[in-house]
Amino acid sequence: MTSIAEQAHAASTFIQQTAAASEYGPHRGLDHARTAVRLASTLGLSLQHITITPDSKRRTTPGEPLLAIATCSTTRTQYTFLARYPLYEDEPFELLGPCPVCAAPVPLAAVRHLADLGTHLATGPAPLSNGPTPATYPDTFDTDEGHAPTCRYGAA
Amino acid sequence: MDSPLSNPRSHTSPSTCTGPGETALRTALGNDGYATLRRHCRLTDTALGPLAELLWTTAQEADRLHAELRYYARNTCDHLRHVPAHANQTEAVPLGFLQHTSRAIDVNATRYVQQMNQLNLAIEAYKLALLAA
Ligand SMILES: [Zn+2]
């Protein structure tokens, strides 16, 4: 078992090396690396199971949203997390999954730690009616740019 | 549709370097005065407390806006200088992103200038209150 100090050192080295070598440039690379470390810490995963790509669909102020894909080493299941404001590391990740109405990938749960993911996986997305969106959905669900144009949710 | 700029976010500044807001406070008050300001922020029984608190949050907001401007500058540099090898034509010239960013920078820069003006006014008001206290 690696010591806490060794793991911490490895994370810090990963960020420096990834930023320096990133094909997206050193600054965007730094955001990508920090986001990978943050998701790995959030889920207790190894960094090698996480890939980061820019999200070309969503526009945020400030910043450039990132998609962090975590692949389960046991089942190969992939989980896609949106980091909407990479500059602000105190924001939760948003787990993306099929919209119950349009099936496009949209935020279904805010994930601050492993238990948030566990709760979502146990219960699944709450059914949607014509009333207000159930509180289990993140605030961003209603207006997310990921909804299909025909969906009753999505950017106005 | 998204305009968190008109709806300030209560984030801690991600930047570790000293921002212009904090620098303005230290320049105007000196290091001792700066420490005193932090103490005054916790006062609830005099008018000095809320004034100190206002000054402090005004400086923090200036630093946050400044950190965002730096972020945009760096991010945009990378977009213009580094094109990933596998990028297709639309990604190679991310016009939509750059247009969005340039609008955001305009709004952000305007807000930043306003905030620094506001900070100077708050510093003067706090100094006057110190004299009267
Ligand atoms: Zn939808």
Side-chain angles (χ1 to χ4, degrees):
Chain A
M1 199 62 193
T2 327
S3 71
I4 291 179
E6 282 168 326
Q7 292 180 53
H9 179 69
S12 154
T13 307
F14 170 86
I15 287 181
Q16 284 169 22
Q17 290 178 349
T18 308
S22 172
E23 59 178 338
Y24 294 98
H27 306 300
R28 293 172 76 199
L30 182 67
D31 281 347
H32 295 199
R34 294 184 69 98
T35 301
V37 167
R38 196 157 69 83
L39 185 65
S41 314
T42 300
L43 302 180
L45 283 179
S46 155
L47 283 165
Q48 71 201 30
H49 297 129
I50 295 174
T51 53
I52 307 281
T53 52
D55 180 342
S56 55
K57 192 173 279 181
R58 295 172 179 85
R59 299 259 181 262
T60 55
T61 306
E64 179 181 31
L66 299 177
L67 296 174
I69 299 172
T71 308
C72 175
S73 56
T74 315
T75 64
R76 313 309 299 165
T77 307
Q78 291 197 323
Y79 301 90
T80 303
F81 295 89
L82 168 67
R84 204 175 276 272
Y85 305 100
L87 178 64
Y88 292 123
E89 300 189 304
D90 49 356
E91 289 278 312
F93 286 100
E94 295 168 39
L95 176 70
L96 299 189
C99 169
V101 178
C102 72
V106 295
L108 294 184
V111 175
R112 292 187 184 276
H113 48 67
L114 193 58
D116 287 339
L117 178 61
T119 303
H120 175 78
L121 294 179
T123 56
L128 293 168
S129 63
N130 284 325
T133 307
T136 52
Y137 286 83
D139 294 345
T140 48
F141 172 83
D142 287 10
T143 55
D144 189 72
E145 295 96 325
H147 290 282
T150 49
C151 187
R152 68 171 185 267
Y153 296 99
Chain B
M1 134 259 141
D2 82 299
S3 60
L5 288 175
S6 57
N7 174 21
R9 307 158 64 76
S10 59
H11 287 282
T12 48
S13 171
S15 170
T16 46
C17 64
T18 308
E22 183 179 338
T23 304
L25 286 185
R26 287 188 187 276
T27 306
L29 305 175
N31 279 338
D32 287 351
Y34 181 81
T36 309
L37 171 70
R38 295 298 289 134
R39 237 183 14 257
H40 285 162
C41 284
R42 291 191 290 272
L43 295 179
T44 49
D45 50 351
T46 78
L48 212 47
L51 199 52
E53 182 67 29
L54 173 71
L55 180 53
W56 182 253
T57 53
T58 305
Q60 279 198 316
E61 176 66 1
D63 288 348
R64 189 188 67 81
L65 290 166
H66 184 253
E68 287 187 10
L69 277 175
R70 282 165 53 103
Y71 171 84
Y72 279 125
R74 291 170 172 168
N75 194 300
T76 306
C77 272
D78 277 1
H79 268 284
L80 297 176
R81 288 190 191 146
H82 300 266
V83 178
H86 58 78
N88 62 32
Q89 208 53 45
T90 51
E91 280 172 287
V93 188
L95 272 185
F97 176 82
L98 291 178
Q99 279 166 356
H100 170 81
T101 300
S102 87
R103 271 194 305 271
I105 291 175
D106 275 350
V107 176
N108 190 305
T110 307
R111 283 275 298 108
Y112 171 68
V113 171
Q114 287 170 346
Q115 195 65 21
M116 287 305 283
N117 287 338
Q118 229 163 306
L119 179 59
N120 287 326
L121 293 175
I123 288 174
E124 290 313 312
Y126 176 72
K127 278 180 162 175
L128 284 174
L130 282 183
L131 288 177

